[in-house]
Amino acid sequence: MPLAVGLLLLEPFSHFVTGPILVALFTVAVDKPPRVTGYLACVAFAPVPFLLANGPAPDDPRTASAVTYFALVAGSIGWGLYLRSRRQLVISLRERAARAAAESRREAREDIAREMHDVLGHRLSLLSVHAGALEFNPGATPQEIGQAAAVIRDSAHRALEDLRDVIGVLRAPEDGNRPQPVLADIGNLVEEARRAGAPVALDVAVAGGPDSAPAVAGRTAYRIVQEGLTNARKHGAHPTAPVSVTVRGASGAGLTVEVRNPVRHDGAARDPAGPRLPGAGQGLIGLAERTLLTGGTLEHGRDGADYRLYAALPWPD
């Protein structure tokens, strides 16, 4: 900037500084803020009013020389401003791309965490309940021990299979599709809980059958029931306390899912055969996100002596 001002002040005394002036003006326009470039442009074009007031005749060679000089000055400043704007645009696009990449990675991590919680939490809670029952009931009969061991083995085997499927999807190309549960699979989910010793009452009334429900709504309903059964084992009155699952739905009327289980009374001791299982505290948050993405609503909380998990999901006509 000082060099450009000094060269502009020398210009009336020597035409040999015209080239350096153009380079200096271009450099300032590229590197400095537009306001600074505007101040310098005012200094560069300050002689124009005096030239117009007292300038030579149009056919005088000095007139052509002055017009050429100021045209070069304007072109140098304009070209510098153009390059500066292009650089700023490239920088902003790179920053936007970096933010989009970071947001994409965050969403991918959240999706992975949600999927891992939904898939493995149910299996591992079954395993933990029966392992705890064996630990706190050393006098169990061989038949009871065998049944519990069979559930533990089956849950561990299925958990490993689910883990392998999830990891396989993460390692596979982006177009790889992992089979997703549907509404009809809720029956299998309930049967697993019953085999584990929990009396689960299932009531499904869906117009046209469970297979007629939309895939997204059915998958979300499955995850809601899965999380409800898992939380009943973790935080309910007893791992084998009764649980009721109610599913209602019809085209145009929507799909509703309700899971109820009794909860401990404040101050009541928990059965030693069912030690409280650890929870990450993210299951209901993940369900709320899933439900919101489908356009539905999720409610959960104490309802008298029960804990109620209720979701209303859209089912377009």
Coordinates of all heavy atoms in Angstrom, one line a residue, residues 275-312:
P275 N -30.5 -58.2 39.1 CA -29.8 -57.0 39.4 C -30.0 -55.9 38.3 O -30.3 -56.3 37.1 CB -28.3 -57.4 39.4 CG -28.3 -58.7 38.5 CD -29.6 -59.3 38.8
R276 N -30.0 -54.7 38.7 CA -30.3 -53.6 37.8 C -29.2 -53.6 36.7 O -28.0 -53.6 37.0 CB -30.3 -52.3 38.5 CG -30.6 -51.1 37.5 CD -30.9 -49.9 38.3 NE -32.2 -50.0 39.0 CZ -33.4 -49.8 38.4 NH1 -33.4 -49.5 37.2 NH2 -34.5 -49.9 39.1
L277 N -29.7 -53.6 35.5 CA -28.7 -53.6 34.3 C -28.3 -52.2 34.0 O -29.1 -51.2 34.1 CB -29.4 -54.3 33.1 CG -29.9 -55.7 33.3 CD1 -30.6 -56.2 32.1 CD2 -28.8 -56.6 33.7
P278 N -27.1 -52.0 33.6 CA -26.6 -50.7 33.2 C -27.3 -50.2 31.9 O -27.6 -51.0 31.0 CB -25.1 -50.9 33.0 CG -24.9 -52.3 32.6 CD -26.0 -53.0 33.4
G279 N -27.5 -48.9 31.8 CA -28.1 -48.4 30.6 C -27.3 -47.2 30.2 O -26.8 -46.4 31.0
A280 N -27.3 -47.0 28.8 CA -26.5 -45.9 28.3 C -27.3 -44.6 28.3 O -26.8 -43.5 28.2 CB -26.1 -46.2 26.8
G281 N -28.7 -44.7 28.5 CA -29.5 -43.5 28.6 C -29.8 -42.9 27.2 O -30.3 -41.8 27.1
Q282 N -29.4 -43.7 26.1 CA -29.6 -43.1 24.8 C -30.7 -43.8 24.0 O -31.0 -43.4 22.9 CB -28.3 -43.3 24.0 CG -27.1 -42.6 24.6 CD -27.3 -41.1 24.7 OE1 -27.7 -40.5 23.7 NE2 -26.9 -40.5 25.8
G283 N -31.3 -44.8 24.6 CA -32.3 -45.6 23.9 C -33.5 -44.7 23.5 O -34.0 -44.7 22.4
L284 N -34.1 -44.0 24.5 CA -35.3 -43.2 24.3 C -34.9 -42.0 23.4 O -35.8 -41.6 22.6 CB -35.9 -42.8 25.6 CG -36.5 -43.9 26.4 CD1 -37.0 -43.3 27.8 CD2 -37.6 -44.6 25.7
I285 N -33.7 -41.5 23.5 CA -33.3 -40.4 22.6 C -33.3 -40.9 21.2 O -33.8 -40.2 20.3 CB -31.9 -39.9 23.1 CG1 -32.0 -39.3 24.5 CG2 -31.4 -38.8 22.1 CD1 -30.7 -38.8 25.0
G286 N -32.7 -42.1 21.0 CA -32.7 -42.6 19.6 C -34.1 -42.9 19.1 O -34.4 -42.6 17.9
L287 N -35.0 -43.4 20.0 CA -36.4 -43.6 19.5 C -37.0 -42.3 19.1 O -37.8 -42.3 18.1 CB -37.2 -44.3 20.6 CG -36.9 -45.8 20.9 CD1 -37.9 -46.3 21.9 CD2 -37.0 -46.6 19.6
A288 N -36.8 -41.3 19.9 CA -37.4 -40.0 19.6 C -36.9 -39.5 18.2 O -37.7 -38.9 17.4 CB -37.1 -39.0 20.7
E289 N -35.6 -39.7 18.0 CA -35.1 -39.3 16.7 C -35.7 -40.1 15.5 O -36.1 -39.5 14.5 CB -33.6 -39.4 16.7 CG -32.9 -38.4 17.6 CD -31.4 -38.7 17.7 OE1 -31.0 -39.8 17.2 OE2 -30.7 -37.9 18.4
R290 N -35.8 -41.4 15.7 CA -36.4 -42.2 14.7 C -37.8 -41.8 14.4 O -38.3 -41.7 13.3 CB -36.4 -43.7 15.1 CG -35.0 -44.4 15.1 CD -35.1 -45.8 15.5 NE -33.8 -46.5 15.5 CZ -33.3 -47.1 14.5 NH1 -33.9 -47.1 13.3 NH2 -32.1 -47.7 14.6
T291 N -38.6 -41.6 15.5 CA -40.0 -41.3 15.3 C -40.2 -39.9 14.7 O -41.0 -39.7 13.8 CB -40.7 -41.3 16.7 OG1 -40.5 -42.5 17.4 CG2 -42.2 -41.1 16.6
L292 N -39.3 -39.0 15.0 CA -39.4 -37.6 14.4 C -39.1 -37.7 12.9 O -39.7 -37.0 12.1 CB -38.4 -36.7 15.1 CG -38.4 -35.3 14.6 CD1 -39.8 -34.6 14.8 CD2 -37.3 -34.5 15.4
L293 N -38.1 -38.5 12.5 CA -37.8 -38.7 11.1 C -38.9 -39.2 10.3 O -39.1 -38.9 9.1 CB -36.6 -39.5 11.0 CG -35.2 -38.9 11.5 CD1 -34.1 -39.9 11.3 CD2 -34.9 -37.7 10.7
T294 N -39.8 -40.0 10.9 CA -40.9 -40.6 10.2 C -42.1 -39.6 10.2 O -43.1 -39.9 9.5 CB -41.4 -41.9 10.8 OG1 -41.8 -41.7 12.2 CG2 -40.2 -42.9 10.8
G295 N -42.0 -38.6 11.0 CA -43.2 -37.6 11.1 C -44.1 -38.0 12.2 O -45.3 -37.4 12.2
G296 N -43.7 -38.9 13.1 CA -44.6 -39.3 14.2 C -44.3 -38.6 15.5 O -43.5 -37.7 15.5
T297 N -44.9 -39.1 16.6 CA -44.7 -38.5 17.9 C -44.4 -39.7 18.9 O -44.9 -40.8 18.7 CB -45.9 -37.7 18.4 OG1 -47.1 -38.5 18.4 CG2 -46.2 -36.5 17.5
L298 N -43.7 -39.4 19.9 CA -43.3 -40.4 20.9 C -43.6 -39.8 22.3 O -43.2 -38.7 22.6 CB -41.8 -40.8 20.8 CG -41.3 -41.8 21.8 CD1 -41.9 -43.2 21.4 CD2 -39.8 -41.9 21.8
E299 N -44.2 -40.6 23.1 CA -44.5 -40.3 24.5 C -44.0 -41.4 25.4 O -44.1 -42.6 25.1 CB -46.0 -40.1 24.8 CG -46.6 -39.0 23.9 CD -48.1 -38.9 24.1 OE1 -48.7 -39.7 24.9 OE2 -48.8 -38.2 23.3
H300 N -43.4 -41.0 26.6 CA -43.0 -42.0 27.5 C -43.0 -41.4 28.9 O -42.8 -40.2 29.1 CB -41.6 -42.5 27.1 CG -40.5 -41.5 27.1 ND1 -39.8 -41.0 28.2 CD2 -40.1 -40.8 26.0 CE1 -39.0 -40.1 27.8 NE2 -39.1 -39.9 26.5
G301 N -43.2 -42.3 29.9 CA -43.2 -41.8 31.3 C -44.1 -42.7 32.2 O -44.8 -43.6 31.7
R302 N -44.1 -42.3 33.5 CA -45.0 -43.1 34.4 C -46.4 -42.8 34.1 O -46.9 -41.7 33.9 CB -44.6 -42.6 35.8 CG -43.2 -43.0 36.3 CD -43.1 -44.5 36.7 NE -43.9 -44.8 37.8 CZ -43.5 -44.9 39.1 NH1 -42.2 -44.6 39.3 NH2 -44.3 -45.2 40.1
D303 N -47.2 -43.9 34.2 CA -48.7 -43.8 34.1 C -49.3 -44.7 35.2 O -49.5 -45.9 34.9 CB -49.1 -44.3 32.7 CG -50.6 -44.1 32.5 OD1 -51.2 -43.4 33.3 OD2 -51.1 -44.7 31.5
G304 N -49.5 -44.1 36.3 CA -49.9 -44.9 37.5 C -48.8 -45.8 37.9 O -47.7 -45.4 38.2
A305 N -49.1 -47.1 38.0 CA -48.1 -48.1 38.5 C -47.3 -48.6 37.3 O -46.4 -49.5 37.5 CB -48.8 -49.3 39.2
D306 N -47.5 -48.2 36.1 CA -46.9 -48.7 34.9 C -46.0 -47.6 34.3 O -46.2 -46.4 34.5 CB -47.9 -49.2 33.8 CG -48.7 -50.4 34.3 OD1 -48.2 -51.1 35.2 OD2 -49.8 -50.6 33.8
Y307 N -45.0 -48.1 33.5 CA -44.3 -47.2 32.6 C -44.8 -47.4 31.2 O -45.0 -48.5 30.7 CB -42.8 -47.5 32.7 CG -41.9 -46.5 31.9 CD1 -41.5 -45.4 32.6 CD2 -41.7 -46.7 30.6 CE1 -40.7 -44.5 31.9 CE2 -40.9 -45.7 29.9 CZ -40.4 -44.6 30.6 OH -39.7 -43.7 29.9
R308 N -45.2 -46.3 30.6 CA -45.9 -46.3 29.3 C -45.0 -45.7 28.2 O -44.5 -44.6 28.4 CB -47.2 -45.6 29.4 CG -48.0 -45.5 28.1 CD -49.3 -44.8 28.3 NE -50.1 -44.7 27.1 CZ -50.2 -43.6 26.4 NH1 -49.4 -42.5 26.7 NH2 -50.9 -43.5 25.3
L309 N -44.8 -46.5 27.1 CA -44.1 -46.0 26.0 C -45.1 -46.0 24.8 O -45.6 -47.1 24.4 CB -42.9 -46.9 25.7 CG -42.0 -46.6 24.4 CD1 -41.4 -45.2 24.6 CD2 -40.9 -47.6 24.2
Y310 N -45.4 -44.9 24.3 CA -46.4 -44.8 23.2 C -45.9 -44.0 22.1 O -45.3 -42.9 22.2 CB -47.7 -44.1 23.8 CG -48.8 -43.9 22.8 CD1 -49.7 -44.9 22.5 CD2 -48.9 -42.7 22.2 CE1 -50.7 -44.7 21.6 CE2 -50.0 -42.5 21.3 CZ -50.8 -43.5 21.0 OH -51.8 -43.3 20.1
A311 N -46.2 -44.5 20.9 CA -45.8 -43.8 19.6 C -46.9 -43.8 18.6 O -47.6 -44.8 18.5 CB -44.6 -44.4 19.0
A312 N -47.1 -42.7 17.9 CA -48.1 -42.6 16.9 C -47.3 -42.3 15.6 O -46.6 -41.3 15.5 CB -49.1 -41.4 17.1

